[in-house]
């Protein structure tokens, strides 16, 4: 018996999440809600409206949701709305990911195929560990952060909430990446990155401070 789940978001990230949920088999996507309500299907599932329909779906008895939006701040905002309406956030963990039994995962977390999460790592609510990302022992991934495909974090790295590490980012043991910081694709982080900055290159250097309104992907 599978539990129906509402998916918030119907873009590229949602496609990946739908297939994760199908592969896991514990949940079944019952409906897609998206800001763009143009009638369409995503992987055979209809978009039935926008987030304003959440309340009605909750009244109809749906209890579980997943926020499949890549933007970190947006994912957090929409998740809070769903939780306030009484939805339980589920995780979407690929059966092809290797998650240590001693790792601790929050709720609303996405872990894509090929990702590795090692011993006693902590992955907070709404984090994305994308395809093939490697998170070594004792790392801490903050709320609604996103570690993009192929990133490699050595042991004890801390990623702040809402931070984004681009494709192929590397980080040496124990470095801390601040809240809402963005590390550009392919950068190598060898010392702490403060909150709210864009850092690029190898070794990663701060390029500028990010505007708080800049949406991170
Ligand atoms: O408030 C919202 C909202 N705002 C935009 N609520 C809901 N339910 N949906 C919202 N959207 C919708 O998010 C847009 O109408 C659009 O359909 C979708 C974003 O789609 P897109 O493909 O641009 O991005 P994504 O968030 O699905 O995926 C991004 O992040 C992933 C992690 C992309 O950068 C992907 O390439 C990446 N893998």
């Amino acid at each position: 018996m599978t539990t129906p789940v509402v998916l918030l978001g119907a873009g590229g990230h949602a496609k990946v999440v739908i297939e994760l949920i199908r592969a896991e088999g514990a949940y079944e996507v019952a409906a897609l809600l998206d800001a763009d309500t143009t009638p369409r299907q995503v992987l055979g599932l209809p978009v039935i409206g926008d987030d304003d329909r959440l309340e009605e779906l909750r009244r109809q008895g749906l209890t579980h949701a997943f926020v499949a939006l890549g933007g970190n701040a947006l994912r957090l905002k929409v998740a809070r709305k769903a939780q306030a309406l009484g939805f339980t956030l589920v995780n979407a963990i690929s059966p092809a990911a290797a998650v240590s039994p001693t790792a601790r995962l929050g709720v609303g977390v996405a872990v894509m195929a090929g990702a590795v999460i090692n011993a006693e790592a902590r992955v907070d609510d709404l984090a994305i560990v994308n395809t093939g990302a490697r998170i070594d022992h004792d790392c801490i991934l903050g709320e609604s952060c996103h570690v993009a495909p192929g990133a490699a974090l050595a042991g004890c790295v801390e990623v702040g909430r809402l931070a984004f590490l681009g494709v192929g980012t590397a980080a040496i043991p124990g470095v801390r990446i601040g809240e809402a910081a963005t590390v550009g694709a392919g950068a190598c982080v060898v010392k702490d990155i403060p909150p709210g900055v864009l850092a690029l290159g190898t070794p990663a250097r701060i390029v500028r401070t990010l505007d708080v309104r800049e949406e991170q992907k």
Side-chain angles (χ1 to χ4, degrees):
M1 180 72 180
T2 53
T3 304
V5 59
V6 186
L7 213 65
L8 295 120
H13 189 47
K15 278 187 191 174
V16 178
V17 168
I18 290 166
E19 293 198 333
L20 288 188
I21 289 174
R22 286 174 175 166
E24 269 186 295
Y27 301 101
E28 184 182 3
V29 179
L32 298 180
L33 301 181
D34 194 275
D36 173 3
T37 57
T38 308
R40 65 195 186 283
Q41 295 205 338
V42 177
L43 300 182
L45 296 165
V47 177
I48 63 163
D50 61 18
D51 301 348
D52 290 343
R53 290 209 56 191
L54 262 181
E55 197 168 352
E56 177 193 341
L57 293 175
R58 184 69 192 86
R59 278 199 308 273
Q60 287 171 1
L62 277 162
T63 52
H64 291 68
F66 187 91
V67 185
L69 296 166
N72 289 341
L74 179 63
R75 187 167 64 261
L76 181 59
K77 185 181 87 173
V78 173
R80 287 200 170 139
K81 178 174 180 178
Q83 286 177 310
L85 289 169
F87 282 94
T88 298
L89 300 182
V90 303
N91 288 341
I93 314 287
S94 170
V99 180
S100 161
T102 60
R104 284 173 293 154
L105 270 54
V107 298
V109 167
V111 182
M112 277 57 175
V116 178
I117 302 176
N118 275 344
E120 296 199 327
R122 194 184 93 202
V123 179
D124 289 348
D125 295 352
L126 300 163
I128 300 173
V129 181
N130 221 318
T131 311
R134 286 149 289 160
I135 312 298
D136 220 309
H137 67 90
D138 300 299
C139 283
I140 298 174
L141 304 190
E143 181 184 46
S144 210
C145 73
H146 177 185
V147 182
L153 311 189
C156 301
V157 169
E158 289 184 30
V159 178
R161 62 193 292 277
L162 299 165
F164 171 71
L165 310 191
V167 171
T169 297
I172 69 167
V175 290
R176 286 180 295 184
I177 294 154
E179 176 171 334
T182 290
V183 178
C188 182
V189 181
V190 298
K191 60 181 190 184
D192 291 357
I193 303 287
V197 300
L198 171 65
L200 302 174
T202 298
R205 293 185 200 286
I206 298 166
V207 175
R208 65 182 172 92
T209 301
L210 291 166
D211 186 315
V212 287
R213 289 164 303 181
E214 283 183 79
E215 184 56 77
Q216 299 163 356
K217 288 268 182 153

